[in-house]
Amino acid sequence: MSGWRCTGLRWPHGEPVLGWARGDGAGRGRVSVLAYGKDLGFRAVGERHCTGARGNPCPVGAVVPVRSTGARCAECARLDRAHSVAADTIADDPRTYRVYLAWFGPGMVKVGITGEARDSARLREQGAVVFSWLGRGPLMAARRTEELLRSALGVPDRIPYARKRAVRDGLPGAAERAAEIEGLYRRAAALEGAGWPEALERLPFEAVDHAGVFGLAGAGPAARVVTGLVDGGVVAGRLVAAAGPDLHLETVDAGVVVLDTRLVTGWDLVGADARAGMSVPAVAVGGGGVQDGLF
């Protein structure tokens, strides 16, 4: 992959794919479809560079910190944020949005919104083990519903990613997972008539479980999590699971190691033998050291 930079892990059609862009920003990108049970290995080369904003390369090719999950310089991060739905700067957005309830582990449920055209890709990108749609409608109605659930039911719209990762190895069964999110759905539905925006159409409850899609059942407990790449550092192993931005790799020397692919973006990568093991910094799962930011 010399001359190519990783643009991160995506879930467009229910399967994990790594995106790639040329280091000079020219030409079209490409994707690599990942498969559980297959070997994966690469070595980082040189320095980590800003990935730019809104599909445009960074004008100065800025070098960015190896432990940052954003992979953008301050100016590109500002431009990217200014045009995002989360910034609430596009009040007249004509598109339809959906409000969802997402479950990541016992007692770990959040509310959020996503564009209807994206379907459930956003839920997979966040590592939601189970989710249900709650309603659909204009952006501002979806935003008001999100705020209603936060204020009336105490449901957060963000969960630190390290918390999601820490509970992934010991999840309860599918029935228990669905029951917890159904309970929240019923409490949310009871708010109709108590501040629920008229423009938001409530959708029926349906628990969508991603545990199988993520491959979590056969992954085994993760021992360590990568905190950043380094020049010449190797990440290599057999892919056993993936969830949100994370790849779970069974390595020859360190057990199952989790790689947050947000730390890979902006690096030039070349292939490496999957039996080479790991030569990048890592800490115990739950030990901190990786910025969060994917809510």
Side-chain angles (χ1 to χ4, degrees):
M1 280 292 181
S2 181
W4 291 84
R5 290 181 183 163
C6 181
T7 58
L9 183 65
R10 301 196 297 272
W11 294 86
H13 305 295
E15 60 183 0
V17 302
L18 282 176
W20 304 91
R22 291 192 181 277
D24 58 7
R28 297 183 61 182
R30 60 189 295 183
V31 298
S32 302
V33 178
L34 303 179
Y36 304 137
K38 299 295 185 179
D39 290 341
L40 177 67
F42 55 80
R43 175 170 54 87
V45 178
E47 296 178 305
R48 189 186 190 197
H49 290 86
C50 174
T51 55
R54 317 305 292 178
N56 299 303
C58 177
V60 297
V63 174
V64 295
V66 299
R67 293 165 67 94
S68 165
T69 55
R72 290 187 175 94
C73 66
E75 181 62 17
C76 286
R78 184 189 66 78
L79 291 172
D80 190 70
R81 176 74 180 179
H83 293 86
S84 72
V85 172
D88 280 340
T89 57
I90 317 175
D92 58 347
D93 191 327
R95 294 171 295 181
T96 299
Y97 285 82
R98 289 200 174 203
V99 183
Y100 61 80
L101 301 173
W103 184 95
F104 302 92
M108 209 176 297
V109 185
K110 61 154 283 188
V111 59
I113 71 171
T114 186
E116 186 168 71
R118 296 204 66 203
D119 195 32
S120 54
R122 181 62 178 148
L123 283 303
R124 294 187 291 272
E125 290 169 359
Q126 293 186 55
V129 181
V130 186
F131 83 93
S132 175
W133 299 121
L134 179 61
R136 63 184 298 273
L139 175 59
M140 289 298 103
R143 278 283 181 234
R144 287 194 295 272
T145 305
E146 190 179 43
E147 177 58 33
L148 175 64
L149 266 64
R150 285 202 301 265
S151 59
L153 301 180
V155 182
D157 64 340
R158 294 172 183 261
I159 295 175
Y161 201 80
R163 289 186 59 205
K164 304 176 189 178
R165 184 181 292 127
V167 302
R168 200 175 285 157
D169 293 335
L171 297 175
E176 187 175 340
R177 298 195 292 260
E180 185 170 349
I181 199 168
E182 183 176 15
L184 178 59
Y185 174 92
R186 295 188 183 282
R187 292 172 60 205
L191 294 174
E192 285 190 281
W196 185 287
E198 293 184 1
L200 194 87
E201 171 193 355
R202 182 160 63 86
L203 296 174
F205 175 78
E206 180 183 3
V208 179
D209 197 302
H210 285 147
V213 172
F214 292 159
L216 297 178
R224 300 179 69 76
V225 56
V226 174
T227 58
L229 304 189
V230 294
D231 181 23
V234 173
V235 174
R238 183 173 64 91
L239 182 65
V240 293
D246 286 350
L247 299 179
H248 292 232
L249 298 168
E250 185 176 34
T251 68
V252 297
D253 53 357
V256 176
V257 175
V258 178
L259 172 67
D260 184 339
T261 56
R262 295 175 296 171
L263 298 174
V264 178
T265 56
W267 282 98
D268 284 337
L269 303 174
V270 296
D273 190 332
R275 296 167 294 180
M278 308 285 285
S279 60
V280 294
V283 297
V285 171
V290 177
Q291 289 185 26
D292 290 311
L294 188 70
F295 40 85

